[in-house]
Amino acid sequence: MKTAKAKVPRKPVLKKGSQTNLKDPVGVYCRVRPLSCPDQECCVEVVNNTTVQLHTPEGYRLNRNGDYKETQYSFKQVFGTHTTQRELFEVVASPLVDDLIHGKNGLLFTYGVTGSGKTHTMTGSPGYGGLLPRCLNMIFNSIGSFQAKRYVFKSNDRNSMEIQCEVDALLERQKREAVSVPKTPSSKRQADPEFADMINVQEFCKAEEVDEDSVYGIFVSYIEIYNNYIYDLLEEVQFDPIKPKLPQSKILREDKNHNMYVAGCTEVEVKSTEEAFEVFWRGQKKRRIANTHLNRESSRSHSVFSIKLVQAPLDADGDNVLQEKEQITISQLSLVDLAGSERTNRTKAEGSRLREAGNINQSLMTLRTCMEVLRENQTYGTNKMVPYRDSKLTHLFKNYFDGEGKVRMIVCVNPKAEDYEESLQVMRFAEVTQEVEVARPVDKVICGLTPGRRYRNLPRGGPVGDEPLVTEVSLQSFPPLPPYRLLDINDEETLPKLIETLEKRHRLRQVMTEELNKQCMTFKALLKEFDSSLSNKENYIQEKLNEKEKLISGQKSEIERLEKKNKTLEYKIEILEKTTTIYEEDKRNLQQELESQNQKLQRQFSDKRRLEARLQGMVTETSMKWQKECERRVAATQLEMQNKLWVKDEKLKQLRAIVTEPKPEKPERPSRERDQEKIIQRSVSPSPVPLSSNNIAQISNGQQLMSQPQLHRRSNSCSSISVASCISEWEQKLSPFSTPVNVTSLARHRQQEPGQSKTCIVSDRRRGMYWTEGREMVPTFSSEIGVEEDHCRRGDVFKTRGGGQSVQFTDIETLKQESPTGSRKRRSSTVAPAQPDGTESEWTDVETRCSVAVEMKAGSQLGPGYEHHAQPKRKKP
Ligand code: ADP
Ligand code: MG
């Protein structure tokens, strides 16, 4: 007994003439079933033989406020409502059977919502055999006469096949038949009337180019996947309807070639369509019973019917199966009727059934995810893990998508409006699946033995009794025997003539035989020649093939290298893209920041401008104010100077009057009238202007006004010197008289004027003259002194800024000494009074200080007194 490795399903292995580089997309077909009731609203329309169009049904639009939408979906082929089972089979399934017979794997599944016609398509309905019986029919039509004897091939539980010689097989057959007669199905049995009309396929369908030098065995298995558990539907378990035993689920295993298979799954060898379908029907019945008894949602289970074809070449004599396990090929065609693809809530299942249904739905979801990942991997060259293991269904078919084979899907659609939403989902899944590519299965390995072995050792001329012998043919070509009749016993002519004729014919026959033999020899020689040339050619082809293979392997390694390079580059690109994204993000952020900063800057700029404008306005306002203030102060100062001048003039006049007076016996009290007359005669100075705001406002040219007092001051200073000398002279002259009396009288005279009660001590440092100690008192312009005094008394502290030291003017004298001549010298120095808060405000010079003081006096403190003092003098002239 020999064991053959399972080929189904297998990983692509580099073999002779391998075409593993080639890939085909999953063939997706669409079948639209007819409406069960012609009045129903239809939402699916077949546009042409590759396109269907779905449109939003009326009810759906009204319920969901949806817009009217038309969506078109393309398929490899679309089958309309009138498509027959035969048409569908010929297009979709027969190529898969063809592949199966040529040692290639195939997977065909129906997908759609419940009631869309999946089972009708796959199994068929009474009178309308589906794809499954048609496939079986085609298989047995093709390999019928080349089938191996039963039990020559034996399946084992390691997903491989064992092979035994015909004698062993015969022995086993006898043994089994002796043990259980009814269990062994018979190929000769009549089809069960239950399904007879489903397998009664009228059309004769046969695969082409079937290898006649091989023997074949067909094994079928039937499993159901429900709630993510696998159940063997062909397992021989007695079903007890009273106390039903829970069916045992099967597990998935991986064989040494990494192919998935259901461990311990029953594989039944079948020899005819009837027998195979009977096995299927048995499983189907079992499934139905289990569903009923276990209260299952039958539409929620996946069923997988697998047809395994085992093929082994005949030996060199063409008599027996070659007992070489390497030469055995196993191919498999899986026909899958998937569970309804509708969402769980549609079935209104509850409790555990809902959970189970969820699991089933989960397996379809996994199938969908697998397709999506596969497509992504194939489209973008990524290497994402396909989640086959997430469900039994996908795990079982992993090798079809990972390995090689032909995968086809029939999307079944019920055009009724209620299925619209589900149909949309089905279409989307179909779209994804169409883009998945599966490696094209490799061609069958050529067996090294000479083809035509099956018939070579049959008796010459072919099977006996079937065809006429060559000798007969030659005899037929002889001229017919003349009609010889023995008329009487003494007839001596006829017999010798007959003998002669027969001898002639015998000779002719001998010649012909010789000729034939000669021709045979020639033909044999020719055949031998042909054989040798064929083997030569074969060798040549083999060599060429080897060469090509080498080339291909070289190219493959090159491709691999390039692919690796490509992957590296892709990885680099990915990294670069990521980096670019990061940089772009940074750039965006920075730009945003820049914009915000710009906006902020703009805001600040406009704020600044506004502030500038406001400050400008304030500055203008303040400068105007200060200008006015200055003008006012200048006017005040001018006025004050004029007053001073006037006072000095007045004093001068008085002094002059005293001096020029004829020497009296007794000093006369100066008469005001007289003085006034004199003043009128001599005065050149302008009379003091009463200090009023009106007058100040009238003064427009400050400069001119400033120059006037200076002029007067100069003349005044000259005159004051002369006056001083005069006074000293006069003092010497009038030594007997008490000067203080005069002064006192003068002072008294002053005191008579209200608001002028203060007496001042005036000093002149430049000249070293002091009118001090209360004796030598000269009436002076008390208002000025009062101003200064008042100013100092308020505790003002004057500081020189340059030295940083403060110079405190504590007495009036000091201040007076500085003014008016001292003030000139210090015009540029800045003196600032200390503010109550400790800060320093700037004072331009003493003059200003004075003017301010005067102004203050004029405006508030001294105003009334001053006016009183001045006004009468104005009235005098
Ligand atoms: P599914 O397996 O998808 O749930 P079925 O194959 O059981 O659906 O179909 C439900 C019903 O519709 C069956 O009675 C079947 O005969 C009928 N049917 C389905 N497809 C067709 C078709 N193409 N032509 C005629 N009848 C159909
Ligand atoms: Mg069904």
Side-chain angles (χ1 to χ4, degrees), residues 676-691:
Q676 274 180 357
E677 276 169 28
K678 280 171 191 168
I679 288 162
I680 292 159
Q681 283 167 14
R682 288 167 49 214
S683 178
V684 284
S685 306
S687 59
V689 183
L691 191 72

Side-chain angles (χ1 to χ4, degrees), residues 762-782:
V762 178
S763 65
D764 192 339
R765 249 182 219 167
R766 279 180 302 165
R767 309 167 110 230
M769 286 170 71
Y770 291 87
W771 295 21
T772 50
E773 291 163 17
R775 285 185 304 118
E776 294 176 352
M777 299 285 269
V778 176
T780 184
F781 184 39
S782 59

Side-chain angles (χ1 to χ4, degrees), residues 17 22 27 32 82 90 147 277-278 281 306 322 470 527 545 555 564 581 599-600 668 674 691 704 737 741 775 873 877:
L22 299 170
V32 185
H82 302 295
E90 277 174 5
Q147 282 193 75
F277 204 81
E278 196 192 305
W281 202 249
S306 299
L322 191 73
V470 183
L527 265 175
L545 241 129
Q555 281 175 347
K564 265 185 200 165
T581 325
Q599 278 175 0
K600 219 165 130 186
E668 208 175 287
R674 223 172 29 237
L691 191 72
Q704 280 180 347
F737 302 102
V741 176
R775 285 185 304 118
K873 286 178 184 173

